[in-house]
């Protein structure tokens, strides 16, 4: 899964901002809102039998992560090599999806208010691990989504 290639495709997309922004500086805040919304939609669909829809919500959550990283010049922090992806796949299943969701959301919001990348990267890693392990989404399915 080549995050850099996925990021190139994301840069060419129109990113939906859910709330009105009053000035250009507020765009990043709008991206964080979109990230929270798609993260919630993804989690809401965990039990959904429609795998295509679940993959869509997972990948759209990735879109907002990547868009924020592009705006903040943090994209290099999201890049993953094959060893990291393999390590994520070998991790155990979470005992609580609720806790995973709340921790990811907490890290995202903490990052927004502290302007620090550490929490953002932690949330990104949790998302990727959740997608690969708990949701069983393969790197190939993720790449296929972005190649459509």
């Amino acid at each position: 899964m080549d995050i850099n290639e996925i990021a190139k495709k994301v840069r060419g997309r129109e990113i939906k901002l859910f709330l009105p922004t009053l000035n250009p500086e507020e765009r990043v805040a709008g991206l964080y809102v979109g990230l929270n919304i798609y993260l919630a939609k993804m989690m809401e669909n965990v039990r959904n039998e429609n795998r295509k829809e679940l993959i869509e919500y997972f990948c759209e959550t990735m879109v907002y992560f990547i868009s924020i990283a592009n705006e903040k010049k943090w994209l290099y922090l999201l890049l993953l090599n094959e060893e990291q992806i393999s390590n994520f796949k070998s991790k155990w299943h979470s005992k609580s999806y609720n806790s995973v969701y709340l921790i990811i959301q907490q890290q995202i919001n903490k990052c927004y208010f502290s302007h620090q990348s550490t929490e953002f990267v932690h949330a990104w890693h949790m998302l990727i691990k959740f997608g690969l392990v708990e949701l069983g989404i393969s790197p190939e399915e993720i790449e296929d989504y972005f190649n459509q």
Side-chain angles (χ1 to χ4, degrees):
M1 178 171 64
D2 188 342
I3 301 300
N4 206 24
E5 284 301 311
I6 291 171
K8 287 177 187 175
K9 291 177 174 137
V10 168
R11 277 188 213 113
R13 295 174 91 190
E14 180 69 30
I15 306 298
K16 178 180 179 179
L17 297 179
F18 289 85
L19 301 173
T21 55
L22 304 175
N23 56 55
E25 293 79 31
E26 205 178 12
R27 176 174 167 71
V28 173
L31 293 171
Y32 275 95
V33 169
L35 175 54
N36 273 303
I37 288 171
Y38 268 99
L39 178 64
K41 286 182 177 190
M42 179 193 73
M43 295 305 271
E44 180 181 46
N45 280 277
V46 164
R47 291 186 187 171
N48 189 341
E49 296 295 320
N50 185 340
R51 182 157 177 81
K52 185 178 177 188
E53 199 170 89
L54 182 60
I55 292 169
E56 175 187 348
Y57 287 128
F58 176 80
C59 290
E60 289 302 313
T61 303
M62 288 180 64
V63 165
Y64 282 88
F65 263 105
I66 291 168
S67 297
I68 292 166
N70 278 333
E71 292 280 333
K72 304 284 274 175
K73 310 291 188 251
W74 292 344
L75 185 61
Y76 70 99
L77 297 171
L78 302 188
L79 301 179
L80 302 168
N81 60 40
E82 290 302 316
E83 183 181 341
Q84 289 171 302
I85 292 170
S86 182
N87 285 341
F88 287 134
K89 288 182 190 176
S90 69
K91 300 238 184 229
W92 64 93
H93 277 262
S94 299
K95 293 180 182 176
S96 170
Y97 287 13
N98 293 300
S99 292
V100 170
Y101 169 69
L102 292 170
I103 292 168
I104 293 173
Q105 191 178 56
Q106 175 203 38
Q107 294 298 297
I108 291 167
N109 292 332
K110 192 173 180 182
C111 172
Y112 174 75
F113 289 108
S114 72
H115 307 287
Q116 300 294 316
S117 62
T118 307
E119 294 88 358
F120 191 75
V121 173
H122 186 236
W124 171 252
H125 288 170
M126 288 184 69
L127 175 77
I128 298 300
K129 184 263 184 191
F130 186 78
L132 296 174
V133 175
E134 283 80 10
L135 301 181
I137 300 172
S138 72
E140 294 77 22
E141 288 175 306
I142 294 167
E143 286 179 345
D144 288 348
Y145 178 84
F146 285 102
N147 286 331
Q148 293 178 19

